[in-house]
Amino acid sequence: MCPPQWYDVDYVINPWMAGNLHRPSRDTAFHQWKSLYQSLQTVADVRLLQARQGAPDMVFVAHTAVVQHGIAAVSSFAHRERQAEEKHLREWMRAHGFLVWETPRETAFEGEGDVLFDDQGRRLWAGHGSRTCLQSHRHVADAWHAPVTSLHLVDPRFYHLDTCFAPLSGGFLLYFPAAFDAPSLARIEEAYPAEKRIAVSEAEAIQFGCNVLNVGRSIFMGSVKSNLAQRLGMSGFEVTELTLSEFVRGGASAKSLALRLSDTGVTHSIAA
């Protein structure tokens, strides 16, 4: 995780930022971030990346890389406003013993915002649309010689895959079907049986109901005004809802605030 020391909405690079320029309260954001940090510490060993002035979105550290088997595929951000983050993440990864997999600038890719392993760590799901190019998927997957399934995002509000798609422990999937085109939705439904798919409504999706952190049976999510937490509970998950409203102004919620470092087979184990 990365503290929100310099967090603000300084520019508009996604639809959620429009109308929120310089509106977040940094004090409130830090209080909300700290609540997530302390909650996550109950089930995980959380490491910190130093925040840097001039990089207000570093708090959304999940967008900076995808990590598995000690390899970190570092992002190649589409917007210059976030490209400075790449250097800091790359340095941290190397200093902590990770092998860095570079992504060419011309193949834009934004970490776990765009690319997610399934709960077994065997297959990658990758989104493409306004922020990530389709050509990046195979390059990123080659870091682990893993199969990759590409999904086309068709609603600009769901500019990252992690805003509308979350593979969960036990083979479950939390997703917003209308964020995808028909061929992509067919791929999802072929891979996940109906009893394992937890579909969210549009009202839940625009509250970032899919942008959740999952460790074992624990789910950490921003507050959603619906019965989504109860539905997740009926599938065997223990849900912690947190107020993360200041980060929604920047276009993200719980998932985007933490980057997974351990293998998916560890973080998504039912025993975790």
Side-chain angles (χ1 to χ4, degrees), residues 1-4 33 47-52 58-61 257:
M1 296 182 71
C2 179
W33 177 91
R47 307 297 175 91
L48 295 179
L49 175 68
Q50 180 184 350
R52 303 298 179 114
M58 275 186 72
V59 69
F60 300 125
V61 68
L257 294 169

Side-chain angles (χ1 to χ4, degrees), residues 1-2 57-67 73 75 77 82 85 89 109-116 160 162 211 213 253-260:
M1 296 182 71
C2 179
D57 279 341
M58 275 186 72
V59 69
F60 300 125
V61 68
H63 300 164
T64 60
V66 176
V67 182
S75 297
F77 282 105
R82 297 202 64 181
E85 299 173 41
L89 191 282
F109 141 74
E110 302 192 357
E112 285 190 331
D114 290 320
V115 177
L116 297 163
H160 274 160
D162 72 353
N211 196 243
L213 282 164
S253 190
K255 173 68 195 76
S256 301
L257 294 169
L259 172 65
R260 180 184 55 81

